Amino acid sequence: MRRSGIIRERRIPSDKSAELAQVLASLIDFSQITRIVEVGCGRGRLAIRLAGLVGAHGHVVGLDASKEVLGLAARDARAARVSNLTFEVGDARDLRLPDGAADLVICSSLLCSLKEVDAVVREMLRITRKGGVLVIAEPGGEQLCHDPDSRRFTYLSAKLNGAFVRGWGRRGVDQHVGLRVPGILLRHGVKEIAAEVVCQVFLMSDPRRTLEDVEGQLKTESTGLPESTMALVSRGGMKRKEVEQHQAMARRRLAGLKSSPKGVRQSGYVRVTSPLLVYAGRVPE
């Protein structure tokens, strides 16, 4: 894809960890931080970036309930030659760490998959030292999509996103819990709460994007849903045949890109990720 000389080149990343790390660097003086714990670290993408922010003077511990996922995270950390980072199995509702174990405790997109939100926040506060920082980054809205060439695809995308949220809701889980985080933190005595947002916009005709980047997005959109997710969206009110139609349309778009890459430059198709609301507050002395 050709780029205009007045528009800076930028490769849009496939996950939000890079943007989140940039936001955290603007909110927090990491030169004052030596011990970080990320609760629910998953594949460790953010933990690896946090290790870079804290530098050689600090250490990061990534906790997750899945031993298998932590194995993949450790592999990625070794590949990135990150030495000030360790991963441990841990339950967010019962963290096996002492009181005040960390200067900074963080979770990202964790509370939106759990029922016991207050219990997890209490545990995170317990392991944060007095005067330390607690960071919670959680979604606060639905993903948006508009395809000017297909009202049907736009409709199905919106319905799929809504069904996903409703499906989780029927399990007692709030996918938009980010909107409730400030009230929760204030109830627990957290002070000086600052807020930022991380949100990605995927415009297919964006001149800063490479064709490989666009293709990666479309591959993600056209990938079939696992049965567990299919059951979730079905519970949220979307029929299987509608999901299959949405995926078939996404596959056709991907095939169109491969057959005619220049067509991307004329596409107004845009997808906006769910806003990740980032809150950082000081734990009372």
Side-chain angles (χ1 to χ4, degrees):
M1 186 183 300
R2 297 180 63 187
R3 289 176 285 273
S4 169
I6 63 172
I7 297 179
R8 294 183 185 274
E9 182 177 350
R10 170 176 175 249
R11 183 174 177 82
I12 301 175
S14 59
D15 64 79
K16 296 181 181 180
S17 63
E19 282 89 345
L20 179 53
Q22 290 175 0
V23 167
L24 295 176
S26 71
L27 286 172
I28 300 164
D29 182 0
F30 279 88
S31 69
Q32 305 298 313
I33 303 293
T34 59
R35 299 166 297 167
I36 299 176
V37 172
E38 184 187 1
V39 182
C41 66
R43 282 291 298 268
R45 292 185 178 94
L46 178 60
I48 290 173
R49 295 184 183 279
L50 290 171
L53 289 174
V54 79
H57 72 275
H59 189 82
V60 178
V61 176
L63 302 176
D64 199 90
S66 172
K67 186 175 181 179
E68 180 182 359
V69 169
L70 289 179
L72 297 174
R75 184 195 66 186
D76 292 345
R78 288 193 298 270
R81 297 184 178 180
V82 177
S83 59
N84 59 332
L85 169 61
T86 56
F87 294 101
E88 301 176 11
V89 176
D91 185 341
R93 293 154 292 198
D94 183 20
L95 299 171
R96 301 303 175 92
L97 292 172
D99 295 356
D103 302 310
L104 186 154
V105 177
I106 180 172
C107 73
S108 175
S109 299
L110 172 68
L111 304 181
C112 61
S113 62
L114 299 174
K115 294 181 182 180
E116 308 88 341
V117 171
D118 277 283
V120 172
V121 173
R122 281 195 298 270
E123 273 292 88
M124 293 177 65
L125 284 167
R126 181 185 64 76
I127 67 170
T128 309
R129 71 165 173 82
K130 294 181 179 179
V133 179
L134 177 64
V135 175
I136 296 179
E138 297 291 336
E142 293 183 23
Q143 187 175 124
L144 301 175
C145 169
H146 178 68
D147 183 355
D149 300 317
S150 176
R151 291 184 180 180
R152 181 63 177 172
F153 186 81
T154 300
Y155 166 77
L156 290 174
S157 292
K159 187 169 184 178
L160 180 60
N161 292 327
F164 186 79
V165 171
R166 289 190 297 274
W168 274 109
R170 288 171 182 172
R171 290 184 179 180
V173 174
D174 182 5
Q175 280 283 295
H176 297 165
V177 67
L179 295 172
R180 298 196 286 118
V181 167
I184 294 171
L185 294 179
L186 289 170
R187 286 203 308 272
H188 287 286
V190 178
K191 308 293 185 182
E192 302 172 17
I193 301 170
E196 293 288 350
V197 64
V198 173
C199 188
Q200 292 176 299
V201 180
F202 295 98
L203 175 64
M204 286 181 61
S205 61
D206 189 328
R208 299 168 300 171
R209 300 183 70 185
T210 64
L211 288 175
E212 292 78 12
D213 181 40
V214 175
E215 183 177 355
Q217 173 195 341
L218 296 182
K219 283 182 178 178
T220 299
E221 294 179 7
S222 60
T223 300
L225 299 180
E227 278 304 314
S228 58
T229 304
M230 185 70 77
L232 187 75
V233 297
S234 295
R235 192 176 296 116
M238 189 165 189
K239 299 177 182 178
R240 179 179 289 269
K241 66 179 182 180
E242 291 178 312
V243 175
E244 291 173 348
Q245 182 183 15
H246 179 267
Q247 292 169 347
M249 296 176 78
R251 286 193 294 270
R252 286 197 293 272
R253 187 192 306 279
L254 177 59
L257 167 67
K258 292 180 177 180
S259 64
S260 179
K262 291 183 179 179
V264 173
R265 296 291 285 140
Q266 283 74 49
S267 175
Y269 175 60
V270 62
R271 183 174 294 277
V272 183
T273 63
S274 173
L276 189 69
L277 307 182
V278 185
Y279 303 98
R282 184 174 59 82
V283 176
E285 302 280 356

